[in-house]
Amino acid sequence: MTTLEGHIERITFHNPDNHFTIARFKIPKTKKPVTVLGYLPDPKPGETLEIIGKWETHAKFGDQLRIESFEVILPDTIEGIRKYLTSGFVSGLSAKKVLGIIDHFGEKTLEIIEREPHRLSEAKGIGVLTAGRIATSWRRNHVVRNLMLFLREMGIKISYGARIFKEYGEDAMQIIQDNPYQVARDIPGIGFVVADAVAQNVGVPKDDPKRIEACINHLVEQAVSEGHLFIHEDELIGKCAELFQIDREMAENALAFLSEDGSVFIEQDKRISEVRMVYPKILYETETGVADRLLARLSIPADLKGPDSVRITEEILRRLAIKLSPEQLKVLEGIFSHRVAIITGGPGTGKTTLIQSVAAIFESLGKRILLVAPTGRATRRLSDVTRRQTSTIHKLLGYNLATGYFEKNEDHPIDADGVIIDEASMVDILLMFHLLKAIPMRAILILVGDAFQLPPVGPGNVLSDMIKSKKIKLFELKTIFRQELESPITVNAHRVRRGEMPFLTKMDIRSPLSGFYFIQQREPEKVVKTIVKLCTKTLPNSFNFDQLNDIQILTPMHRGEVGTINLNQILQEGLNPNSGIPMVKGIPFNSGDKVMQLKNNYQKEIFNGDIGRVTSVQAGEEVLLVDYFGRSVSYDFSELNELTLAYAITVHKSQGSEYPVIIVPIMGQHFALLNRSLLYTALTRGKKLVVLIGTSRALEIALKNNQPQKRMTNLSVRLVN
């Protein structure tokens, strides 16, 4: 750690929402100021600070001190006080009025402002209203700063300070001291572990009921964050005892209380499970709601009479110029007899062709069919391949940004005779619940997806559970079309699906493009260098791929040398070094950068996982423009937490997308994340070329691990029982 004392010379960037600041900091007896960055509430030029931090080196801007903590050193000279009060400390406070205050109170000016602000009106030109304004500004400024110091002492990142102050105002410190667990509940990101450490610091007993209840809620929420819908009661109580030293009986009593007040639901139905399961109440209601609605739908015979094979062949498919395999034709003949059906299969088996065919048949019968997908990018891909209008599920259901609710439900259903959901493996239990509520009972529901893909990001594993139940009619496509058999990507994807080692071809730029390569490399540092060389030289120069538009890096993790964080920083420098626009106000994006949206923004009509290009960074207006699919979207600098660099993304984030070229580092360091489903999902994202970089051993680990973490769900059991 390094300690610096000096004053703020210039503020380069300040975000008033979270107080992140980049400033030039002048140290006495040094010629050049240094760059400091971190969380500083309401910094002012001329302000004297003691800063403690760590030096780091930026690829473009050199050495910078990242602030870990700071302390404001109030001036004790007449000149210092003058500079401090005229630095913008109080809006509208003129230099003349400042001089009037200082002339009257001298070196005691700041003491008077803090302890006896009512006396300020004694100074010439200072009225009661101005005195009150000064006192309010001083109090707010120092409350925020004192809060920051308090958070540091409590072990809470000061980056949360702005959110905590916004939530609680001047009562923030008191609330934290009275009930730290309330902060964990109200402020996303803090969590129980941090709140518990704070609680111990302020003297909350370990057997305090508020602590035990917060611990139980934390463990239940943790299970949900991992994709589960519930946690076994014995496991929950055991973790309370082992991880947080909570008496088992007291934990059981707290759980009973939370069950009574409706925070959780304890499943005790022996038909479902012999052991008790603890759900968040909303997820219990959701899972049972999905099961009930599916069973109700299945109990009604389908009233849509489908055409026979002759009519399909002669009247419909001829018009579409589509040739179906016997396997596909069999699906079309049978699918209209079922109120709910699933079409599944690996790449190259013709799932999209069937979607086109089913839609055409519906329309030929005068019926309304809707095509939807879980994400914006999956929707656009579906529209491209089917040449039909498509929609995200959220848009179909009329998601209301202001209320957080869906406008379409059982009372206001969608108008459709049939709904096809593509990429159904990405649909979590909550979204499926809202969808089933809104689809009229007359409509046929068809889910299309590859059950071997990664499960959804949200809780549950709906498609897999529906298949597992054997209650839903399943049409499985196994035949790979001849033209697809010529694709090494398709061939190797199916080999991985079966647990077989893919055919590994070494890259040779002197030979024609093969479509699938493996580069053996054990050292992470060399893997990174290889990726940079492939993106900047080999693939653009030898195979004519565009380094930004065609190539996408997919990696299993965020951290580590071959994680997204490090790769993005290095690739930004390698792929976009001469944007012509320097980094503005500390914004980590340059014009030309490849970026990804991190959450659904229905107002901007941009969705989690959408990838675009930065076209402009406008410092004066504090606006950044991003081009998405030919449409320009504007971001205020305060909204840039919604964006991240996208030269490299995780495999999970790639679901529902396709790219001309993918490069996948697969290393032994990833062993905890390596499984067949993840590798398969990655391979199926590439359209023209897949390049794996890593070790054969890592590939073997992934192929052998066909048991990715089992998600705790009961949908399949509820559909049977």
Side-chain angles (χ1 to χ4, degrees), residues 78-356:
I78 296 294
E79 179 60 19
I81 294 170
R82 184 191 67 77
K83 286 183 178 178
Y84 184 64
L85 292 181
T86 55
S87 65
F89 165 66
V90 180
S91 178
L93 187 63
S94 67
K96 185 178 179 180
K97 289 182 178 180
V98 169
L99 288 174
I101 295 171
I102 295 173
D103 285 344
H104 190 82
F105 296 108
E107 293 178 355
K108 291 187 176 181
T109 295
L110 299 184
E111 183 182 335
I112 294 295
I113 293 174
E114 182 166 3
R115 298 180 181 178
E116 300 178 275
H118 61 280
R119 290 187 58 194
L120 291 172
S121 58
E122 298 173 11
K124 186 178 179 181
I126 303 297
V128 175
L129 290 177
T130 302
R133 203 164 76 241
I134 295 170
T136 301
S137 293
W138 178 275
R139 187 174 63 252
R140 185 190 181 284
N141 192 276
H142 285 264
V143 163
V144 174
R145 289 183 167 173
N146 290 336
L147 174 63
M148 295 292 193
L149 294 172
F150 176 73
L151 294 179
R152 186 191 73 194
E153 293 171 1
M154 292 296 103
I156 300 177
K157 292 179 181 178
I158 57 176
S159 57
Y160 293 120
R163 276 187 277 171
I164 292 173
F165 185 79
K166 186 176 181 180
E167 182 75 23
Y168 303 130
E170 295 181 11
D171 298 327
M173 282 198 295
Q174 192 61 52
I175 289 172
I176 293 172
Q177 290 172 316
D178 290 345
N179 187 4
Y181 305 107
Q182 181 180 342
V183 183
R185 186 176 63 249
D186 295 341
I187 310 296
I190 289 183
F192 172 80
V193 175
V194 173
D196 197 42
V198 173
Q200 304 313 304
N201 284 337
V202 299
V204 176
K206 288 195 172 185
D207 59 355
D208 188 299
K210 290 196 294 282
R211 177 178 186 260
I212 301 172
E213 290 164 19
C215 178
I216 290 172
N217 282 325
H218 159 67
L219 291 170
V220 173
E221 289 164 6
Q222 188 181 58
V224 173
S225 71
E226 294 170 356
H228 307 300
L229 300 187
F230 64 84
I231 181 172
H232 289 121
E233 183 183 33
D234 290 346
E235 182 184 357
L236 175 63
I237 301 300
K239 284 185 174 181
C240 286
E242 294 165 18
L243 299 178
F244 302 104
Q245 294 75 54
I246 294 172
D247 177 79
R248 284 179 173 270
E249 186 176 349
M250 296 185 75
E252 289 169 356
N253 292 338
L255 179 59
F257 175 79
L258 290 172
S259 176
E260 288 173 10
D261 81 357
S263 300
V264 301
F265 183 88
I266 302 174
E267 175 70 87
Q268 304 181 71
D269 191 338
K270 297 287 186 182
R271 296 174 302 169
I272 303 298
S273 175
E274 291 294 323
V275 296
R276 287 164 44 114
M277 296 158 292
V278 182
Y279 285 80
K281 190 174 181 181
I282 182 66
L283 289 185
Y284 172 77
E285 293 172 348
T286 300
E287 186 179 64
T288 54
V290 168
D292 291 344
R293 283 167 171 79
L294 283 173
L295 290 171
R297 190 172 292 276
L298 291 170
S299 68
I300 305 172
D303 58 4
L304 181 63
K305 188 177 186 310
D308 58 31
S309 59
V310 174
R311 187 179 169 198
I312 291 172
T313 305
E314 293 183 357
E315 292 184 30
I316 299 168
L317 303 182
R318 185 180 60 209
R319 193 170 68 239
L320 294 173
I322 293 175
K323 185 176 174 73
L324 295 182
S325 68
E327 187 178 59
Q328 291 174 311
L329 201 58
K330 189 175 179 181
V331 173
L332 281 188
E333 290 173 359
I335 201 164
F336 299 95
S337 307
H338 302 277
R339 187 66 61 174
V340 186
I342 298 170
I343 300 173
T344 187
T349 56
K351 296 189 298 293
T352 304
T353 301
L354 271 175
I355 292 175
Q356 288 179 289

Side-chain angles (χ1 to χ4, degrees), residues 616-653:
S616 176
V617 183
Q618 301 172 5
E621 294 79 15
E622 296 196 348
V623 166
L624 180 142
L625 299 178
V626 180
D627 180 86
Y628 293 100
F629 320 105
R631 185 169 69 90
S632 185
V633 176
S634 174
Y635 293 83
D636 293 335
F637 280 7
S638 61
E639 299 176 304
L640 296 186
N641 61 335
E642 294 187 15
L643 292 175
T644 187
L645 291 171
Y647 300 101
I649 65 175
T650 63
V651 178
H652 283 81
K653 281 289 188 183

Side-chain angles (χ1 to χ4, degrees), residues 570-584:
I570 292 171
L571 287 167
Q572 182 188 39
E573 187 67 22
L575 294 172
N576 192 31
N578 301 309
S579 64
I581 301 177
M583 199 171 286
V584 176

